[in-house]
Amino acid sequence: MYRSLLLLVSALLVFTAASNAQDEHTQGDGETIYDMPTEWDTLYAVVVKQGPKHADDSDPAATQAIMQQHIQYQLGLQHSGTAVAAGGFADASDGISGLTLLRAESLEDAERIANNDPAVQAGRFSVVVKTWYVPDGRL
């Protein structure tokens, strides 16, 4: 399941690079060749998974409060510019609930930010954080 998500993110990276390429060349056979980027931005992809307490609905009011805190936390990250984007998937039947793209100083910093989410702290979600390289200026 992570492999398919990583393939999707990789395809997005390739599509973004190709669609935004400013320097392209056509070979004799008509194939377009894009110049390789020389500078890359480092972002962090946070894969949000269902946590050990994801299915615990013993206290619906507490669940609603945690999810409200989670949404406010994510909106705050986006408002501050720490998160490039964040959102949930329509189908989480594979256990993957959402994705957040972070700007951070390091992988450790990104992990700290991701793990400070109230829903992660409550066990509703867990996270996997990966370093993600994007051609400079593409996002």
Side-chain angles (χ1 to χ4, degrees):
M1 87 180 126
Y2 298 113
R3 184 180 180 101
S4 61
L5 181 61
L6 291 176
L7 288 173
L8 174 65
V9 171
S10 296
L12 176 63
L13 173 62
V14 170
F15 174 77
T16 301
S19 66
N20 291 323
Q22 296 177 4
D23 297 313
E24 62 182 67
H25 310 280
T26 304
Q27 290 184 325
D29 62 1
E31 180 181 356
T32 301
I33 303 296
Y34 300 94
D35 290 343
M36 286 294 291
T38 57
E39 295 185 32
W40 297 81
D41 285 334
T42 302
L43 297 173
Y44 298 91
V46 180
V47 179
V48 180
K49 305 183 316 176
Q50 295 172 358
K53 296 183 180 178
H54 182 77
D56 180 6
D57 287 328
S58 59
D59 186 350
T63 298
Q64 185 176 13
I66 289 168
M67 293 311 293
Q68 179 68 23
Q69 292 169 10
H70 161 71
I71 292 168
Q72 287 298 309
Y73 184 76
Q74 292 294 321
L75 289 171
L77 291 176
Q78 291 177 68
H79 182 75
S80 70
T82 301
V84 175
F89 294 121
D91 177 12
S93 61
D94 61 357
I96 299 175
S97 297
L99 179 68
T100 302
L101 297 178
L102 294 176
R103 296 186 193 283
E105 295 298 318
S106 65
L107 177 61
E108 294 76 19
D109 188 36
E111 289 171 336
R112 179 191 56 76
I113 293 166
N115 283 302
N116 279 339
D117 184 312
V120 173
Q121 291 180 347
R124 301 292 295 183
F125 294 129
S126 63
V127 293
V128 175
V129 183
K130 297 285 193 176
T131 304
W132 190 41
Y133 301 112
V134 181
D136 184 49
R138 302 302 170 138
L139 288 179

